[in-house]
Coordinates of all heavy atoms in Angstrom, one line a residue:
M562 N 265.8 2.3 72.9 CA 265.0 2.0 74.1 C 263.5 2.1 73.7 O 262.6 1.3 74.2 CB 265.3 3.0 75.2 CG 264.6 2.7 76.5 SD 265.2 1.1 77.1 CE 264.5 1.2 78.7
A563 N 263.2 3.0 72.8 CA 261.8 3.2 72.4 C 261.2 2.0 71.6 O 260.1 1.6 71.8 CB 261.6 4.5 71.5
W564 N 262.1 1.4 70.8 CA 261.6 0.2 70.0 C 261.4 -0.9 71.0 O 260.4 -1.7 70.8 CB 262.6 -0.1 69.0 CG 262.5 0.8 67.8 CD1 263.4 1.8 67.4 CD2 261.5 0.8 66.8 NE1 263.0 2.4 66.3 CE2 261.8 1.8 65.9 CE3 260.3 0.1 66.6 CZ2 261.0 2.1 64.8 CZ3 259.5 0.4 65.5 CH2 259.8 1.4 64.7
F565 N 262.3 -1.1 72.0 CA 262.1 -2.2 73.0 C 260.8 -1.9 73.7 O 260.0 -2.9 73.9 CB 263.3 -2.2 73.9 CG 263.1 -3.2 75.0 CD1 263.3 -4.5 74.8 CD2 262.8 -2.8 76.3 CE1 263.1 -5.5 75.8 CE2 262.6 -3.7 77.3 CZ 262.8 -5.1 77.1
A566 N 260.5 -0.7 74.1 CA 259.3 -0.4 74.9 C 258.1 -0.7 74.0 O 257.0 -1.2 74.4 CB 259.3 1.1 75.3
L567 N 258.2 -0.4 72.7 CA 257.1 -0.6 71.8 C 256.8 -2.1 71.6 O 255.6 -2.5 71.6 CB 257.4 0.1 70.4 CG 256.2 0.0 69.4 CD1 255.0 0.6 69.9 CD2 256.7 0.6 68.1
V568 N 257.8 -2.9 71.5 CA 257.6 -4.3 71.3 C 257.0 -4.9 72.6 O 256.1 -5.7 72.6 CB 258.9 -5.0 70.9 CG1 258.8 -6.5 71.0 CG2 259.4 -4.6 69.5
L569 N 257.5 -4.5 73.7 CA 257.0 -4.9 75.0 C 255.5 -4.5 75.2 O 254.7 -5.2 75.7 CB 257.8 -4.4 76.2 CG 257.5 -5.0 77.6 CD1 257.6 -6.5 77.6 CD2 258.5 -4.4 78.6
A570 N 255.2 -3.3 74.7 CA 253.8 -2.8 74.8 C 252.9 -3.7 73.9 O 251.8 -4.0 74.3 CB 253.7 -1.3 74.3
G571 N 253.4 -4.1 72.7 CA 252.7 -5.0 71.9 C 252.5 -6.4 72.5 O 251.4 -6.9 72.4
I572 N 253.5 -6.9 73.2 CA 253.3 -8.1 73.9 C 252.3 -8.0 75.0 O 251.4 -8.9 75.2 CB 254.7 -8.6 74.4 CG1 255.6 -9.0 73.3 CG2 254.5 -9.8 75.4 CD1 257.1 -9.2 73.7
L573 N 252.3 -6.9 75.7 CA 251.3 -6.7 76.8 C 249.9 -6.5 76.1 O 248.9 -6.9 76.7 CB 251.6 -5.5 77.6 CG 252.8 -5.8 78.6 CD1 253.1 -4.5 79.4 CD2 252.4 -6.9 79.6
E574 N 249.8 -6.0 74.9 CA 248.6 -5.9 74.2 C 248.0 -7.3 73.9 O 246.8 -7.5 74.1 CB 248.9 -5.2 72.9 CG 247.7 -5.1 71.9 CD 246.8 -3.8 72.2 OE1 247.1 -3.2 73.2 OE2 246.0 -3.6 71.4
V575 N 248.8 -8.2 73.6 CA 248.4 -9.6 73.4 C 247.9 -10.2 74.7 O 246.9 -10.8 74.8 CB 249.5 -10.5 72.8 CG1 249.1 -11.9 72.7 CG2 250.0 -10.0 71.5
A576 N 248.7 -9.9 75.8 CA 248.3 -10.5 77.1 C 247.0 -10.0 77.6 O 246.2 -10.8 78.1 CB 249.4 -10.0 78.1
W577 N 246.7 -8.7 77.4 CA 245.4 -8.2 77.9 C 244.2 -8.7 77.0 O 243.1 -9.0 77.4 CB 245.3 -6.7 78.2 CG 245.2 -5.8 77.0 CD1 246.3 -5.0 76.5 CD2 244.1 -5.4 76.3 NE1 245.8 -4.2 75.5 CE2 244.4 -4.4 75.3 CE3 242.7 -5.8 76.3 CZ2 243.6 -3.9 74.4 CZ3 241.9 -5.3 75.4 CH2 242.3 -4.3 74.5
A578 N 244.5 -8.8 75.7 CA 243.5 -9.3 74.8 C 243.1 -10.8 75.1 O 241.9 -11.1 75.2 CB 244.0 -9.2 73.3
V579 N 244.1 -11.6 75.3 CA 243.9 -13.0 75.7 C 243.3 -13.0 77.1 O 242.4 -13.8 77.4 CB 245.2 -13.8 75.7 CG1 245.1 -15.2 76.3 CG2 245.7 -13.9 74.2
G580 N 243.7 -12.1 78.0 CA 243.2 -12.1 79.4 C 241.7 -11.8 79.4 O 241.0 -12.3 80.3
L581 N 241.2 -11.1 78.4 CA 239.7 -10.9 78.4 C 238.9 -12.1 78.4 O 237.9 -12.2 79.0 CB 239.4 -10.0 77.2 CG 239.8 -8.6 77.2 CD1 239.5 -7.9 75.8 CD2 239.0 -7.8 78.3
V582 N 239.4 -13.2 77.7 CA 238.7 -14.5 77.7 C 238.6 -15.0 79.1 O 237.6 -15.5 79.5 CB 239.4 -15.4 76.8 CG1 238.8 -16.8 76.8 CG2 239.5 -14.9 75.3
Y583 N 239.8 -14.9 79.9 CA 239.8 -15.5 81.2 C 239.1 -14.7 82.3 O 238.8 -15.3 83.3 CB 241.3 -15.7 81.6 CG 242.0 -16.7 80.7 CD1 242.9 -16.3 79.7 CD2 241.7 -18.1 80.9 CE1 243.5 -17.3 78.9 CE2 242.4 -19.0 80.1 CZ 243.2 -18.6 79.1 OH 243.9 -19.5 78.3
T584 N 238.8 -13.5 82.0 CA 238.0 -12.7 83.0 C 236.6 -13.1 83.1 O 235.9 -12.8 84.1 CB 238.1 -11.2 82.7 OG1 237.3 -10.9 81.5 CG2 239.5 -10.7 82.5
K585 N 236.1 -13.8 82.0 CA 234.6 -14.2 82.0 C 233.8 -12.9 82.2 O 232.9 -12.9 83.1 CB 234.3 -15.3 83.0 CG 235.1 -16.5 82.9 CD 234.7 -17.3 81.7 CE 235.5 -18.6 81.7 NZ 235.5 -19.2 80.4
G586 N 234.0 -11.9 81.4 CA 233.2 -10.7 81.5 C 233.5 -9.9 82.8 O 232.7 -9.2 83.4
F587 N 234.8 -9.9 83.2 CA 235.3 -9.3 84.4 C 234.5 -9.7 85.7 O 234.3 -9.0 86.6 CB 235.2 -7.7 84.3 CG 236.2 -7.2 83.3 CD1 235.8 -6.9 82.0 CD2 237.5 -7.1 83.7 CE1 236.8 -6.4 81.1 CE2 238.5 -6.6 82.7 CZ 238.1 -6.3 81.5
T588 N 234.2 -11.0 85.7 CA 233.5 -11.6 86.9 C 234.5 -12.4 87.7 O 234.2 -12.7 88.9 CB 232.4 -12.5 86.5 OG1 232.9 -13.6 85.7 CG2 231.3 -11.8 85.8
R589 N 235.7 -12.6 87.2 CA 236.8 -13.3 88.0 C 237.9 -12.3 88.4 O 238.5 -11.7 87.5 CB 237.4 -14.4 87.1 CG 236.3 -15.4 86.7 CD 236.8 -16.5 85.8 NE 237.8 -17.3 86.5 CZ 238.8 -17.9 85.9 NH1 238.9 -17.8 84.6 NH2 239.6 -18.6 86.6
P590 N 238.0 -12.1 89.7 CA 238.9 -11.0 90.2 C 240.4 -11.1 89.7 O 240.9 -10.1 89.3 CB 238.8 -11.1 91.7 CG 237.5 -11.8 92.0 CD 237.3 -12.7 90.8
L591 N 241.0 -12.2 89.9 CA 242.5 -12.2 89.6 C 242.7 -12.1 88.1 O 243.5 -11.2 87.7 CB 243.1 -13.5 90.1 CG 244.6 -13.6 89.8 CD1 245.4 -12.4 90.5 CD2 245.2 -14.9 90.4
P592 N 242.0 -12.8 87.2 CA 242.3 -12.6 85.8 C 241.9 -11.1 85.4 O 242.5 -10.5 84.5 CB 241.4 -13.6 85.1 CG 241.2 -14.7 86.1 CD 241.2 -14.0 87.4
S593 N 240.9 -10.6 86.0 CA 240.4 -9.2 85.7 C 241.5 -8.2 86.1 O 241.9 -7.3 85.3 CB 239.1 -8.9 86.4 OG 238.1 -9.7 86.0
F594 N 242.1 -8.4 87.3 CA 243.2 -7.5 87.7 C 244.4 -7.6 86.8 O 245.0 -6.6 86.4 CB 243.6 -7.9 89.2 CG 244.8 -7.2 89.7 CD1 244.7 -5.8 90.0 CD2 246.0 -7.8 89.8 CE1 245.8 -5.1 90.5 CE2 247.1 -7.1 90.2 CZ 247.0 -5.8 90.6
L595 N 244.8 -8.9 86.5 CA 246.0 -9.0 85.6 C 245.7 -8.5 84.2 O 246.6 -7.9 83.6 CB 246.3 -10.5 85.5 CG 246.8 -11.1 86.9 CD1 247.0 -12.6 86.7 CD2 248.1 -10.5 87.3
T596 N 244.5 -8.6 83.7 CA 244.2 -8.1 82.4 C 244.3 -6.5 82.4 O 244.9 -5.9 81.5 CB 242.8 -8.5 82.0 OG1 242.8 -10.0 81.9 CG2 242.4 -7.9 80.7
L597 N 243.7 -5.9 83.4 CA 243.8 -4.5 83.6 C 245.2 -4.0 83.8 O 245.6 -2.9 83.2 CB 242.8 -4.0 84.7 CG 241.4 -4.2 84.4 CD1 240.5 -3.8 85.6 CD2 240.9 -3.3 83.2
L598 N 246.0 -4.7 84.5 CA 247.4 -4.4 84.7 C 248.2 -4.4 83.4 O 248.9 -3.5 83.0 CB 248.0 -5.4 85.7 CG 249.4 -5.0 86.2 CD1 249.4 -3.7 87.0 CD2 249.9 -6.2 87.1
A599 N 247.9 -5.5 82.6 CA 248.6 -5.6 81.3 C 248.1 -4.5 80.3 O 248.9 -3.9 79.6 CB 248.2 -6.9 80.6
L600 N 246.8 -4.1 80.4 CA 246.3 -3.0 79.6 C 247.0 -1.7 80.0 O 247.4 -1.0 79.1 CB 244.8 -2.9 79.8 CG 244.1 -1.7 79.1 CD1 244.2 -1.8 77.6 CD2 242.6 -1.7 79.5
G601 N 247.0 -1.4 81.2 CA 247.7 -0.2 81.7 C 249.2 -0.1 81.3 O 249.7 0.9 80.8
G602 N 249.9 -1.3 81.5 CA 251.3 -1.3 81.1 C 251.5 -1.2 79.6 O 252.4 -0.5 79.2
S603 N 250.6 -1.7 78.8 CA 250.7 -1.6 77.4 C 250.5 -0.2 77.0 O 251.3 0.4 76.1 CB 249.6 -2.5 76.7 OG 249.7 -2.4 75.3
M604 N 249.6 0.5 77.5 CA 249.3 1.9 77.2 C 250.5 2.8 77.6 O 250.9 3.7 76.9 CB 248.0 2.4 77.8 CG 246.8 1.7 77.3 SD 246.6 1.9 75.5 CE 245.7 3.4 75.5
W605 N 251.0 2.5 78.8 CA 252.1 3.3 79.3 C 253.3 3.2 78.5 O 254.0 4.2 78.1 CB 252.4 3.0 80.8 CG 253.4 3.9 81.4 CD1 253.3 5.1 81.9 CD2 254.9 3.6 81.4 NE1 254.5 5.7 82.3 CE2 255.5 4.8 82.0 CE3 255.6 2.6 81.0 CZ2 256.8 4.9 82.1 CZ3 257.0 2.7 81.2 CH2 257.6 3.8 81.7
L606 N 253.6 1.9 78.1 CA 254.8 1.7 77.3 C 254.6 2.3 75.9 O 255.6 2.8 75.3 CB 255.1 0.2 77.2 CG 255.7 -0.4 78.4 CD1 255.6 -1.9 78.4 CD2 257.1 0.1 78.6
L607 N 253.4 2.2 75.4 CA 253.2 2.9 74.1 C 253.4 4.4 74.2 O 254.0 5.0 73.3 CB 251.7 2.6 73.6 CG 251.3 3.3 72.3 CD1 252.2 2.9 71.1 CD2 249.8 3.1 72.0
S608 N 252.9 5.0 75.2 CA 253.1 6.5 75.4 C 254.6 6.8 75.6 O 255.0 7.8 75.1 CB 252.3 7.0 76.6 OG 252.8 6.5 77.8
F609 N 255.3 5.9 76.3 CA 256.7 6.1 76.4 C 257.4 6.1 75.0 O 258.3 6.9 74.7 CB 257.3 5.0 77.3 CG 258.8 5.1 77.5 CD1 259.4 6.0 78.3 CD2 259.6 4.3 76.7 CE1 260.8 6.1 78.4 CE2 261.0 4.3 76.8 CZ 261.6 5.2 77.7
A610 N 257.0 5.1 74.2 CA 257.7 4.9 72.9 C 257.4 6.1 72.0 O 258.2 6.5 71.2 CB 257.2 3.6 72.3
T611 N 256.2 6.7 72.1 CA 255.8 7.8 71.3 C 256.5 9.1 71.7 O 256.4 10.1 70.9 CB 254.3 8.0 71.2 OG1 253.8 8.3 72.5 CG2 253.6 6.8 70.6
R612 N 257.3 9.1 72.7 CA 258.1 10.3 73.0 C 259.2 10.4 72.0 O 259.7 11.5 71.7 CB 258.8 10.1 74.4 CG 257.8 10.2 75.5 CD 258.6 10.1 76.8 NE 257.7 9.8 78.0 CZ 258.1 9.5 79.2 NH1 259.4 9.3 79.4 NH2 257.2 9.3 80.1
T613 N 259.6 9.3 71.4 CA 260.7 9.2 70.4 C 260.2 8.9 69.0 O 260.6 9.5 68.0 CB 261.7 8.2 70.8 OG1 262.2 8.5 72.2 CG2 262.9 8.2 69.9
L614 N 259.3 7.9 68.9 CA 258.8 7.4 67.6 C 257.6 8.2 67.2 O 256.8 8.5 68.0 CB 258.5 5.9 67.7 CG 259.6 5.0 68.2 CD1 259.1 3.6 68.4 CD2 260.8 5.0 67.2
P615 N 257.5 8.4 65.9 CA 256.2 9.0 65.4 C 255.0 8.1 65.7 O 255.1 6.9 65.5 CB 256.5 9.2 63.9 CG 257.9 8.7 63.6 CD 258.4 8.0 64.8
I616 N 253.9 8.8 66.0 CA 252.7 8.0 66.3 C 252.2 7.2 65.1 O 251.7 6.1 65.2 CB 251.6 9.0 66.8 CG1 250.4 8.2 67.4 CG2 251.1 9.9 65.7 CD1 250.7 7.4 68.6
G617 N 252.5 7.7 63.9 CA 252.1 7.0 62.6 C 252.9 5.8 62.4 O 252.5 4.9 61.6
T618 N 254.0 5.6 63.1 CA 254.7 4.4 63.1 C 254.4 3.5 64.3 O 254.2 2.3 64.2 CB 256.3 4.7 63.0 OG1 256.5 5.4 61.8 CG2 257.1 3.4 63.0
A619 N 254.5 4.1 65.5 CA 254.4 3.4 66.7 C 253.0 2.7 66.9 O 252.9 1.6 67.2 CB 254.6 4.3 67.9
Y620 N 251.9 3.5 66.6 CA 250.6 2.9 66.9 C 250.3 1.8 65.9 O 249.8 0.7 66.4 CB 249.5 4.0 66.7 CG 248.2 3.5 67.0 CD1 247.7 3.3 68.3 CD2 247.3 3.3 66.0 CE1 246.5 2.8 68.6 CE2 246.0 2.8 66.2 CZ 245.6 2.6 67.5 OH 244.4 2.1 67.8
P621 N 250.5 1.9 64.6 CA 250.2 0.7 63.8 C 251.1 -0.5 64.1 O 250.6 -1.6 64.1 CB 250.5 1.2 62.4 CG 250.5 2.7 62.4 CD 250.9 3.0 63.8
I622 N 252.3 -0.3 64.5 CA 253.1 -1.5 64.9 C 252.6 -2.1 66.2 O 252.5 -3.3 66.3 CB 254.6 -1.1 65.1 CG1 255.2 -0.8 63.7 CG2 255.4 -2.1 65.8 CD1 256.6 -0.3 63.7
W623 N 252.2 -1.3 67.2 CA 251.6 -1.7 68.4 C 250.3 -2.5 68.2 O 250.2 -3.7 68.7 CB 251.3 -0.5 69.3 CG 250.6 -0.8 70.6 CD1 251.2 -1.4 71.7 CD2 249.3 -0.4 71.0 NE1 250.3 -1.4 72.7 CE2 249.1 -0.7 72.3 CE3 248.3 0.3 70.3 CZ2 247.9 -0.5 73.0 CZ3 247.1 0.6 71.0 CH2 246.9 0.2 72.3
V624 N 249.5 -2.0 67.3 CA 248.2 -2.7 67.0 C 248.5 -4.0 66.2 O 247.9 -5.0 66.5 CB 247.3 -1.8 66.1 CG1 246.1 -2.6 65.5 CG2 246.8 -0.6 67.0
G625 N 249.5 -3.9 65.3 CA 249.9 -5.1 64.5 C 250.4 -6.2 65.4 O 250.0 -7.4 65.2
I626 N 251.3 -5.9 66.3 CA 251.8 -6.9 67.2 C 250.7 -7.5 68.0 O 250.6 -8.7 68.2 CB 252.9 -6.3 68.2 CG1 254.1 -5.9 67.4 CG2 253.2 -7.3 69.3 CD1 255.2 -5.1 68.2
G627 N 249.8 -6.7 68.5 CA 248.6 -7.2 69.2 C 247.7 -8.1 68.4 O 247.3 -9.1 68.9
A628 N 247.4 -7.7 67.2 CA 246.6 -8.4 66.3 C 247.2 -9.8 65.9 O 246.6 -10.8 66.0 CB 246.2 -7.6 65.1
L629 N 248.5 -9.7 65.6 CA 249.2 -10.9 65.2 C 249.3 -11.9 66.4 O 249.0 -13.1 66.3 CB 250.7 -10.5 64.8 CG 251.6 -11.7 64.5 CD1 251.1 -12.5 63.3 CD2 253.0 -11.1 64.3
G630 N 249.6 -11.4 67.6 CA 249.7 -12.2 68.8 C 248.4 -12.8 69.2 O 248.3 -13.9 69.6
A631 N 247.3 -12.0 69.1 CA 246.0 -12.5 69.4 C 245.5 -13.5 68.5 O 244.9 -14.5 68.9 CB 245.0 -11.3 69.5
A632 N 245.8 -13.4 67.2 CA 245.4 -14.4 66.2 C 246.2 -15.7 66.5 O 245.6 -16.8 66.4 CB 245.7 -13.9 64.8
C633 N 247.5 -15.6 66.8 CA 248.2 -16.8 67.0 C 247.8 -17.4 68.4 O 247.7 -18.7 68.5 CB 249.7 -16.5 67.1 SG 250.4 -16.0 65.4
A634 N 247.6 -16.6 69.4 CA 247.1 -17.2 70.7 C 245.8 -17.9 70.5 O 245.5 -18.9 71.2 CB 247.0 -16.0 71.7
G635 N 244.9 -17.3 69.7 CA 243.6 -18.0 69.4 C 243.8 -19.4 68.9 O 243.1 -20.3 69.3
V636 N 244.7 -19.6 68.0 CA 245.0 -20.9 67.4 C 245.6 -21.8 68.5 O 245.2 -22.9 68.6 CB 245.9 -20.7 66.2 CG1 246.4 -22.1 65.7 CG2 245.2 -20.0 65.1
V637 N 246.6 -21.3 69.2 CA 247.3 -22.1 70.2 C 246.5 -22.4 71.4 O 246.4 -23.6 71.9 CB 248.7 -21.5 70.5 CG1 249.4 -22.2 71.6 CG2 249.6 -21.4 69.3
L638 N 245.9 -21.4 72.0 CA 245.2 -21.5 73.3 C 243.7 -21.9 73.2 O 243.2 -22.6 74.1 CB 245.3 -20.2 74.1 CG 246.7 -19.7 74.4 CD1 246.6 -18.4 75.1 CD2 247.4 -20.7 75.3
F639 N 243.1 -21.5 72.1 CA 241.6 -21.7 72.1 C 241.2 -22.6 70.9 O 240.0 -22.6 70.5 CB 240.9 -20.3 72.1 CG 241.4 -19.5 73.2 CD1 242.1 -18.3 73.0 CD2 241.1 -19.8 74.5 CE1 242.5 -17.5 74.0 CE2 241.6 -19.0 75.6 CZ 242.2 -17.9 75.3
D640 N 242.1 -23.3 70.3 CA 241.8 -24.2 69.1 C 241.0 -23.5 68.0 O 240.2 -24.1 67.4 CB 241.1 -25.4 69.6 CG 241.9 -26.3 70.6 OD1 243.1 -26.4 70.3 OD2 241.3 -26.8 71.6
E641 N 241.3 -22.2 67.7 CA 240.7 -21.6 66.6 C 241.3 -22.1 65.3 O 242.5 -22.5 65.3 CB 240.9 -20.1 66.7 CG 240.1 -19.5 67.9 CD 240.4 -18.0 68.0 OE1 241.0 -17.4 67.1 OE2 239.9 -17.4 69.0
A642 N 240.6 -22.1 64.3 CA 241.1 -22.7 63.0 C 242.1 -21.7 62.3 O 241.9 -20.5 62.5 CB 239.9 -22.9 62.0
M643 N 243.0 -22.3 61.6 CA 244.0 -21.5 60.8 C 243.9 -22.0 59.4 O 244.6 -22.8 59.0 CB 245.4 -21.6 61.4 CG 246.4 -20.8 60.6 SD 246.2 -19.0 60.5 CE 246.7 -18.5 62.2
S644 N 243.0 -21.4 58.7 CA 242.8 -21.8 57.3 C 244.0 -21.2 56.5 O 244.6 -20.3 56.9 CB 241.5 -21.2 56.7 OG 241.5 -19.8 56.7
P645 N 244.2 -21.7 55.3 CA 245.3 -21.1 54.4 C 245.0 -19.6 54.2 O 246.0 -18.9 54.2 CB 245.2 -22.0 53.2 CG 244.6 -23.3 53.6 CD 243.6 -22.9 54.7
A646 N 243.8 -19.2 54.0 CA 243.5 -17.8 53.7 C 243.9 -17.0 54.9 O 244.5 -15.9 54.8 CB 242.1 -17.6 53.3
R647 N 243.5 -17.5 56.1 CA 243.8 -16.8 57.4 C 245.3 -16.7 57.6 O 245.8 -15.6 58.0 CB 243.1 -17.5 58.5 CG 243.2 -16.7 59.8 CD 242.4 -17.3 60.9 NE 242.5 -16.5 62.1 CZ 242.0 -16.8 63.3 NH1 241.3 -17.9 63.4 NH2 242.1 -16.0 64.3
A648 N 246.0 -17.7 57.3 CA 247.5 -17.7 57.4 C 248.1 -16.7 56.5 O 249.1 -16.0 56.9 CB 248.0 -19.1 57.1
V649 N 247.6 -16.5 55.3 CA 248.1 -15.5 54.4 C 247.9 -14.1 55.0 O 248.8 -13.3 54.9 CB 247.4 -15.6 53.0 CG1 247.6 -14.4 52.1 CG2 247.8 -16.9 52.3
F650 N 246.7 -13.9 55.6 CA 246.5 -12.5 56.2 C 247.3 -12.3 57.4 O 247.8 -11.2 57.7 CB 245.0 -12.3 56.4 CG 244.2 -12.1 55.2 CD1 243.3 -13.1 54.7 CD2 244.4 -11.0 54.3 CE1 242.6 -12.9 53.5 CE2 243.7 -10.9 53.2 CZ 242.8 -11.8 52.8
V651 N 247.6 -13.4 58.2 CA 248.5 -13.2 59.3 C 249.9 -12.9 58.8 O 250.6 -12.1 59.4 CB 248.5 -14.5 60.2 CG1 249.6 -14.5 61.2 CG2 247.2 -14.7 60.9
L652 N 250.3 -13.6 57.7 CA 251.6 -13.3 57.1 C 251.7 -11.8 56.6 O 252.7 -11.1 56.8 CB 251.9 -14.2 56.0 CG 253.2 -14.0 55.2 CD1 254.4 -14.2 56.2 CD2 253.4 -15.0 54.1
L653 N 250.6 -11.3 56.1 CA 250.5 -9.9 55.7 C 250.7 -9.0 56.8 O 251.3 -7.9 56.7 CB 249.2 -9.6 54.9 CG 249.1 -10.2 53.5 CD1 247.7 -10.0 52.9 CD2 250.2 -9.6 52.6
L654 N 250.2 -9.4 58.0 CA 250.4 -8.6 59.2 C 251.9 -8.5 59.5 O 252.4 -7.4 59.9 CB 249.7 -9.2 60.4 CG 248.2 -8.8 60.6 CD1 247.6 -9.6 61.7 CD2 248.1 -7.3 61.0
V655 N 252.6 -9.6 59.5 CA 254.0 -9.6 59.7 C 254.7 -8.7 58.7 O 255.6 -7.9 59.1 CB 254.6 -11.1 59.7 CG1 256.1 -11.1 59.8 CG2 253.9 -11.9 60.8
V656 N 254.4 -8.9 57.5 CA 255.0 -8.0 56.4 C 254.8 -6.5 56.7 O 255.7 -5.7 56.6 CB 254.5 -8.4 55.0 CG1 255.0 -7.4 54.0 CG2 255.0 -9.8 54.7
S657 N 253.6 -6.2 57.1 CA 253.2 -4.8 57.4 C 254.0 -4.3 58.6 O 254.5 -3.2 58.6 CB 251.7 -4.7 57.7 OG 251.0 -5.0 56.6
I658 N 254.1 -5.1 59.7 CA 254.9 -4.6 60.9 C 256.3 -4.4 60.5 O 256.9 -3.4 60.8 CB 254.7 -5.7 62.0 CG1 253.3 -5.7 62.5 CG2 255.7 -5.4 63.1 CD1 252.9 -6.9 63.4
V659 N 256.9 -5.4 59.8 CA 258.3 -5.3 59.4 C 258.5 -4.1 58.5 O 259.5 -3.3 58.6 CB 258.8 -6.6 58.8 CG1 260.2 -6.4 58.2 CG2 258.9 -7.7 59.8
G660 N 257.6 -3.9 57.5 CA 257.7 -2.8 56.6 C 257.6 -1.5 57.3 O 258.4 -0.5 56.9
L661 N 256.8 -1.3 58.3 CA 256.7 -0.1 59.0 C 258.0 0.2 59.8 O 258.5 1.3 59.9 CB 255.5 -0.1 60.0 CG 254.1 0.1 59.3 CD1 253.0 -0.2 60.3 CD2 254.0 1.6 58.8
K662 N 258.5 -0.8 60.4 CA 259.8 -0.7 61.1 C 260.9 -0.3 60.2 O 261.7 0.6 60.4 CB 260.1 -2.0 61.8 CG 261.6 -2.1 62.4 CD 261.9 -1.1 63.4 CE 263.3 -1.4 64.0 NZ 264.2 -0.4 63.8
V663 N 261.0 -1.0 59.0 CA 262.1 -0.7 58.1 C 262.1 0.7 57.5 O 263.1 1.3 57.3 CB 262.1 -1.8 57.0 CG1 263.1 -1.5 55.8 CG2 262.5 -3.2 57.6
T664 N 260.8 1.2 57.3 CA 260.7 2.5 56.7 C 260.5 3.6 57.6 O 260.3 4.7 57.3 CB 259.5 2.5 55.7 OG1 258.3 2.2 56.4 CG2 259.7 1.5 54.6
A665 N 260.6 3.3 58.9 CA 260.5 4.4 60.0 C 261.6 5.4 59.8 O 262.7 5.1 59.5 CB 260.5 3.7 61.4
A666 N 261.2 6.6 60.0 CA 262.1 7.8 59.9 C 263.0 7.9 61.1 O 262.7 7.5 62.2 CB 261.4 9.0 59.6

């Protein structure tokens, strides 16, 4: 259950990061509310996951999922460039997240 909560927390991390763009500096009420809701949910699920998982595993995985998702969302939603070098570093994020999961105690 902790791993499921952690992955969901990471997905909500992506949601609030992307939501920041749509808030227009928190001047738009609905996107601002949804962004803050995703932020709160992400933090709550992370805290739930750390009841079982070590913080040294949970936090980097949470950040990694958020960073990976935000990078991919930037390409898909906002037409950001994905150079070969950037793709390599995104792949390294995936390797790091999987490596932390596989080596978790």
Side-chain angles (χ1 to χ4, degrees):
M562 188 66 170
W564 284 106
F565 176 76
L567 183 59
V568 170
L569 190 53
I572 292 168
L573 287 175
E574 176 89 349
V575 175
W577 76 256
V579 170
L581 286 174
V582 175
Y583 294 103
T584 69
K585 303 288 186 201
F587 290 101
T588 61
R589 299 177 65 211
L591 182 59
S593 297
F594 172 76
L595 294 174
T596 297
L597 291 172
L598 192 64
L600 175 60
S603 180
M604 296 298 274
W605 184 83
L606 286 166
L607 175 63
S608 71
F609 176 82
T611 59
R612 292 180 193 170
T613 305
L614 302 173
I616 192 67
T618 300
Y620 182 75
I622 289 176
W623 176 72
V624 169
I626 292 169
L629 175 64
C633 292
V636 171
V637 173
L638 299 174
F639 307 116
D640 295 321
E641 294 178 7
M643 180 60 78
S644 68
R647 188 173 183 186
V649 167
F650 289 111
V651 168
L652 180 60
L653 287 173
L654 275 171
V655 173
V656 169
S657 297
I658 292 166
V659 171
L661 285 167
K662 166 62 172 117
V663 170
T664 60

